[in-house]
Amino acid sequence: MSAEKVISLAGDSPESRGKRLWERALEERKHAKLSLARALLVLESYRETEGLPAPIRRARALEKVVTGIPIFIDSDELLVGAFSAKPMYFEWYPEYAVDQEMLSQDIDRLLAENHSRKDIARIVHYFKDSCLQSSFFSLLDDAKKQRIKEACEDGAWVYRAKTTLDIDRGYHSVDYQKAIEKGFLGVIAEVKNELRDTRIHDDDSYRKVNYLKGLAIVLKAGIRYAGRYASLARGLAGKSSGSRRSELEAIAEVCDRVPAYPARSFHEAVQTSLFLHVLIHLESRAQESPGRMDQFLFPYYQKDIREDTLTPESALEILECFRVKLSTLRLLSSIKYNEIVSGEAQYHNVTLGGQTADGRDATNALSFLFLKAAQRTRTPHPTLSIRCHDKMPKDFAIKGLELVRGGLGFPAFFNDKSNIQWLLSIGAPLEEARSHCISGCLHSTVPGRTSPFDVLFISIAKCLELALHDGFDPRTGKQLGPKSGEFNRMHSYDDLVRAFKAQVETFSREGGAIISEQKIARSQVMPAMISSAFTDDCIKKGKGCLADGARYNIIIQAPVGMIDAADSLAAIKKCVFEDGAIGRQELLDALAANFNGNEPLRKRLIKAPKYGNDDDFADGIAAELYGWWWKMVSEIDGPYGVKQLPAPYSISVHGAAGKRIGALPSGRLAGQPLADGSVSPCQGADMNGPTAVINSAGKIDQVPLFGTLLNMKFHPSAMKTDEDLKKVYTLIKTYFDYGGKHAQFNVVDSKTLKEAQKQPERHRNLMVRVAGYSAYFTELGPNVQDEIIMRTEFTSGG
Amino acid sequence: MMSDTVWRMDSGVVFNIQRFSIHDGPGIRTTVFLKGCPLRCFWCQNPESQSGRPEIVFDRRKCTLCGACYAACPHGAIALEAGRPVFDRRICKGCGQCAVVCPSEARRLSGTRMTVEEVIREVLKDAKFYENSGGGVTLSGGEPLAQPEFARLLFKGCKQAELHTTLDTCGWAPWPDIEKLLEVVDLVLFDIKHLDASMHREAAGHDNLLILENARKISKLKPMRIRVPLVPGFNDSPEAVSAIAAFVKSELGSRDIDLLAYNRMGEVKYDFLEKSCVPLPSQSEDHLRMLESILGGQSAVPE
């Protein structure tokens, strides 16, 4: 493969354009504010379109935004389009959710220079009752409202249903290839054909026609958006000289051409991709993924290289610009001032490698270039995912691990075998299954054919807490779950497991029903127009991708804290039911006191078998729970005739949910985060190293699960040489032989080590590995720890 | 519980089994650390490996003063003075009862007697990783040859399971034991600490004559790598390293040499055993690079 050559050719120029742009963006980030440009345009449009059908309203709103929002071209940029009116600013999506906190005094310091609180007041006034979130909740009866208040984010946090409607959740990936190959005009022609063939004769056909008209509006708006950039670039070119002048002229030409017409060059194809991605976000802020960019861009890359109009270096520069662009997307969802700066782009996944539809290795020169672009810019987004399979070149995996070693936390590695098997099991044809991309964090979806998701996050660990208290939540003092039996009177471990499962099932069904309704409300009120234009078979059916326009309609349940529950059950089984070392009331009392005054009892619980140590006692419990859970969830109805899918992952919910849970029998203290991911051990519980973790995770039957998440941390000493990287790759490969779905590695930085000094218990597993010697970090003396921290800082630059 | 019965030859004292060992032989390995060592190197990083008997290591930072150990000790090795457990190592039989009851893992038993079968069962857990990486099992210590028959039976078991075997040795053992063990060894990692016999004796308790002689003999029989634990002020001078390199080149047939940088990670364990540690500084990267350059192509500093 020529890819190797490309990489070495690119070298490590520290002053790449992408790096320059990103450094500037980081500087701008410090002063970035909340822009109301988008929200005010949406408000204006909504006033003009009152009474019109939702698809038209939404289309007209996007049209207003993209034709009215201020645009800019930064001095070095090669790609244009932006998620906000100014670099790194936040835009607001009040039509999804309005938070009264926006009216508080604090907003002044965040508000962009040209806006006032009066503007905010106007927006809040208009949307506070009619935004998606308000309209959904206002239609619920009082009992249901009360229930959500008590069981969800504002109460016990058994599941999340209150703050789910603030944006389009996304997690899908649209058909970029179609946009690039046909151009928006080609898609408009498709829409027009469908309109021509559709006679209005009933409700459905009326709705269909409106939908199609809406699609035509957003597609034309997208073309106008590019046209604005063409004019701006031309204007700027007139004022520039030298090479920047020709760059600006080139940008103008590209924007004249795309996304209206089929792309002819690599530059045009990437620009089409960016426009499409930006349009999706300006409409709904969906967390959509560009998918298999190394595949759909490759023909353009090859052609340009062949015709000598592109070099690997210039292609790399364009990819770097793409990365920087995606990293400028900010997230302002629910308005919590203290969290405002932490919100960022999140699940904008680019998938690399994998297989072709006919089962050949798909890794190409661009796959390597995408890694290189990330290495050079060091931007956090888009995150990269590598699809692993038997025919994958090992070099590619090793290059990926080199990037991991650099401390970016990606690429993540995915197992084709297990993921394709899953797609086949839900009815995907083999060729589509092989063409899947990773969207969201870790979901293998068929791009351009899959609906955005709705997700029920459910706190499994909370369900265990409820089961130990007969359905009563000790924290909020409410009887939330069914009366599943008093722990004190249970005769056996099996009684407890039954009670626990009853709690989980109750809330899975209850929460599943609510997010199912939410998905329908979303589809009715916010019918993701741009995404629908690029999702089969929305045009043909005249239905949105959130509704059953998409071929694969997805709604998922994500259990958080399954491993905490397994560890807790293992501890109870061992200490209470088998050894009789701890009494049931004694345990409940200790939990209620957060183990205060009973540290020995807590230590005993911590000593009990824990998942992640290749110990069948605890691993068996985790495997059994997952096996039961996915079958139970798969029978719960979703919207549009589909069932809910079992998709265990946690993003950052393990932190939020953990705050609302008291001490657990696993020994975890009240309020601490739950285990992250879905098959990762609890923090600090795995004491036998990564092979034991992988053996444990391998005992869970993962094929029926729609993605799993295994996070592993390494001290840089385990990833120092190429030989080390090969060994880490063997970990991945072996895990995938077992049927594991996803593995992601983090190189521990000095910050984590300092944390470990303060909280040794949660980092017990952290190992420093050097030739001839290895040691657990937390066991070392403080001065030696300090020395290792210093050396870690030295080798990783942070 | 431990007693003083005579142990069968197919069991031995193991003080650690470390999975995902990536720097002690090819591929992903499990390193089995056998207890007991004939040398007494002043810089030893595993002081708990020196004695061949199981012994208690005590991390006072973790002790909650709960007193459980006092109640559990059947030999009266732990007394209670003003509410604090006071431990008399001379009385301790290493039965480990106190470690079993210690809720905070402050007391741990270093060294448990395990049968060959038990160890093999443990190492086979990662068979898939060995297979995928070309790894296997490494015996280290302590000194594996301090329990020669146990070591041989372990490796025999590994070979029966078709696992690659690496012996990590200090080289101070009777040749017949080594020769017998080599039948089931695929690779030898051989420590050479110093070429000067008297300096060696002073630093490690024995001179190096037997060690160098064994190195010569092994080099004729098995693939081997030479490992030099760089000890500040003892052997990390250009002269000491050059001398070792010259010996290896002329007498062992140009074997690879790994220079192992000194690290202080073993320091804390002296505390755990109430022994005093000779404090040594770590080497700087520059110094390591310089020593490495002496070896030329002969090898490198693995980390």
Side-chain angles (χ1 to χ4, degrees), chain A residues 434-455:
Chain A
R434 279 178 176 157
S435 306
H436 77 266
C437 69
I438 308 302
S439 61
C441 292
L442 47 77
H443 300 104
S444 308
T445 59
V446 181
R449 308 222 157 138
T450 304
S451 76
F453 300 9
D454 272 77
V455 189

Side-chain angles (χ1 to χ4, degrees), chain A residues 603 614 691 727 779 787, chain B residues 19 61-62 103 126 264 282:
Chain A
K603 298 285 188 200
D614 199 3
T691 57
K727 289 171 188 178
E779 300 274 305
E787 185 182 313
Chain B
R19 297 161 73 171
R61 296 171 299 180
K62 291 182 180 170
D126 282 350
R264 297 167 55 201
S282 307

Side-chain angles (χ1 to χ4, degrees), chain A residues 769-774, chain B residues 23-24 45 227 259-261 263 302-303:
Chain A
R769 295 172 192 278
V770 293
Y773 201 81
S774 300
Chain B
H23 300 125
D24 300 299
Q45 292 185 316
R227 309 228 281 187
L259 298 180
L260 309 188
N263 68 71
E303 303 251 1

Side-chain angles (χ1 to χ4, degrees), chain A residues 175 178-194 212 215-216 219 259-260 530 532-535 539:
Chain A
D175 195 343
K178 180 177 177 179
I180 293 167
E181 284 177 6
K182 293 182 88 167
F184 282 18
L185 286 173
V187 182
I188 291 172
E190 205 183 311
V191 170
K192 285 200 169 143
N193 283 340
E194 199 59 42
L212 292 170
L215 293 183
L219 289 164
I530 280 281
S532 298
F534 295 96
T535 302
I539 295 175

